[in-house]
Amino acid sequence: MDKPAEVFDRDYEWSALSRFITDPQPGATLGVVSGRRRQGKTFLLDAACRAAGGFYFGATEAADAESLRRISSALTAHVRPASPYHFANWSEAVDALLALGSERPVPVVIDEFPYLAKANPELPSIIQEALRPLRDQRTGSRTRLLLCGSALSFMGRLLSGNAPLRGRAGLELVVRPLDHRLAAEFWDITDPRLALQVNSIVGGTPAYRREFARGDSPAGLEDFDDWVVRTVLNPETPLFREARYLLAEEPDLRDTALYLSVLAAVADGNATRGGMAGYLERKATDIAHPINVLEDAGLLYRDADAFRDNRPTYRIAEPLIGFYHAIMRPVWDQLERPGSAARVWQASRRRFVSNVMGPHFEQVCRDWALHHADPDVLGGLPARVGHGVVHDPKARTGHEVDVAVVGIADGHAKPPLLAIGEAKWNDTMGFAHIERLKHIRELIAQAGRYDTTRTRLLCFSGAGFNDKAHAAAETSSSIQLVDLAGLYGQA
């Protein structure tokens, strides 16, 4: 299958779909496609159906009987049989879908599958029975049935544990947001500083440019403030309320006020369970459930501390939600009044830098180390990249490490700590930052958890480095300076 020109990137996802759909082996097969909303799953699957002559059905929130009538009408329009379909139940409907692949491999997509399963919880079991290994309707078909959904908590359970469809799927594809480099390309931004500022607000969600901002991309750094005012802070645009809708659309989030408060706590810098509990004036045990639900929904991400066990921190997975809670939610009443955006944004710039840009820059630096950095720069291939706090017993204090790159352990040896790094978005970094990292490296060596014999020191800065930092890096291969151009592969 040739990928349509209008599909940006997604080469990996298209190749996976193409192999699954065109697989000539006999027997119907099942695939599951998931991902957060607005990532282009529907666009991708619809394009695949058009390319391979398949059938696409988009479910809606409706009663079971209405959904059966809708798929009957859609399949009738697609097949044009002698008499229209009138499915009495989903068993009949699924068998009709399997019959589409009687002559050749054909994709059949059921989008927003969680809506159907919510109205009829037996549907996964019905599909399981329809795909029973020796069943004639399965063996005589080459239908490639693709179930798609944006409710990550539901989709995650679809193939797990004792779920009916566990072991039935031949494809499990997650459509993820574009990373910071691809997002810059998608937004047609070549200035890395501007690209990262835009990325800190809208992340790598394709729909936010094409549909929500109507193609509006900032013309340059000087246009960034005006772009924020005319798009995400503008009550007339869909971006303005999108963060609220993302939360409301999750089926497992019932007490939205509590979940909003948990996200607000994280956006305010309270990244630990204890910090969130203190912010909400509740016990830590009282917020364990909402944290777990937000994790399952893909809205909150847990990061293990690289240096201390059982001390995880949390971050908001969707940048737009983080921006909403840090900048918009505290002054929502003002923003709803047309014409107030510019004044609000001017007053929020400092908070944007500290609560949005700073944390986002650190995360992009970690992503760069894990996915983009040349292993020669790090001294090896990373097994994981995180952050954490290193305890200084003599000074009775802790030192935060923004980037900790852990290598692959060799047998029973201690895992190598390939690199530690510090990230500063708005500060010019100098020799003092390098000396601090050297001291932290010594403390880590004393703790004995990692092999630090070849640990390199990484300095990430959005504002550049002074002459002393450059001189230190030139005289030592263990010191690496990474600027914005390096993060975006422009160095």
Side-chain angles (χ1 to χ4, degrees), residues 240-241 244 324 327-337:
F240 181 73
R241 293 178 176 82
R244 287 186 157 201
Y324 164 77
I327 305 300
M328 300 174 68
R329 189 168 178 248
V331 289
W332 186 256
D333 290 344
Q334 292 192 49
L335 284 172
E336 284 194 303
R337 181 184 179 186

Side-chain angles (χ1 to χ4, degrees), residues 15 26 48 98 139 213 217 230 261 282 298 313 342 350 370 391 435 448 472:
S15 295
L98 295 183
T139 57
S217 183
R230 68 178 181 258
S261 295
R282 295 195 180 201
T313 56
R350 181 178 296 180
L370 184 61
H391 181 59
E435 287 294 292

Side-chain angles (χ1 to χ4, degrees), residues 21 23-29 52-55 75 78-79 94-108 136-145:
I21 291 170
D23 186 349
Q25 70 171 324
T29 52
F55 172 69
L75 196 56
H78 178 77
V79 177
V94 172
D95 280 347
L97 296 177
L98 295 183
L100 295 177
S102 59
E103 297 180 358
R104 63 179 179 88
V106 61
V108 173
D136 291 341
Q137 289 85 343
R138 179 189 180 175
T139 57
S141 168
R142 282 184 287 175
T143 287
R144 308 306 179 217
L145 179 61

Side-chain angles (χ1 to χ4, degrees), residues 35-214:
R36 297 212 307 268
R37 294 189 183 280
R38 326 295 192 235
Q39 303 309 320
K41 300 184 301 299
T42 295
F43 189 73
L44 194 67
L45 291 171
D46 188 42
C49 281
R50 292 175 185 273
F55 172 69
Y56 173 89
F57 175 73
T60 59
E61 284 192 279
D64 195 47
E66 182 184 355
S67 294
L68 277 170
R69 284 198 298 272
R70 288 190 64 243
I71 198 169
S72 298
S73 298
L75 196 56
T76 297
H78 178 77
V79 177
R80 299 187 182 278
S83 58
Y85 292 109
H86 295 288
F87 301 126
N89 52 58
W90 281 105
S91 295
E92 290 184 7
V94 172
D95 280 347
L97 296 177
L98 295 183
L100 295 177
S102 59
E103 297 180 358
R104 63 179 179 88
V106 61
V108 173
V109 173
I110 300 180
D111 202 359
E112 295 299 352
F113 180 72
Y115 288 150
L116 300 181
K118 181 180 179 181
N120 187 340
E122 296 179 359
L123 190 51
S125 296
I126 292 171
I127 295 175
Q128 176 199 31
E129 170 60 22
L131 295 176
R132 186 161 37 86
L134 298 180
R135 190 169 180 264
D136 291 341
Q137 289 85 343
R138 179 189 180 175
T139 57
S141 168
R142 282 184 287 175
T143 287
R144 308 306 179 217
L145 179 61
L146 289 155
L147 308 180
C148 180
S150 302
L152 295 188
S153 54
F154 174 87
M155 298 303 291
R157 295 191 299 265
L158 198 60
L159 302 176
S160 65
N162 297 319
L165 293 177
R166 177 171 172 76
R168 289 284 192 265
L171 173 71
E172 293 182 55
L173 180 64
V174 179
V175 180
R176 304 181 188 279
L178 304 174
D179 68 18
H180 66 282
R181 291 185 175 182
L182 284 172
E185 183 182 344
F186 184 76
W187 281 82
D188 291 325
I189 301 175
T190 56
D191 185 316
R193 187 171 184 85
L194 176 61
L196 200 58
Q197 288 184 116
V198 171
N199 190 249
S200 74
I201 299 175
V202 294
T205 299
Y208 292 162
R209 184 188 184 193
R210 281 179 170 160
E211 287 86 14
F212 286 54
R214 292 172 295 184

Side-chain angles (χ1 to χ4, degrees), residues 214-227:
R214 292 172 295 184
D216 186 353
S217 183
L221 273 172
E222 70 285 349
D223 187 40
F224 175 70
D225 290 335
D226 289 341
W227 175 82

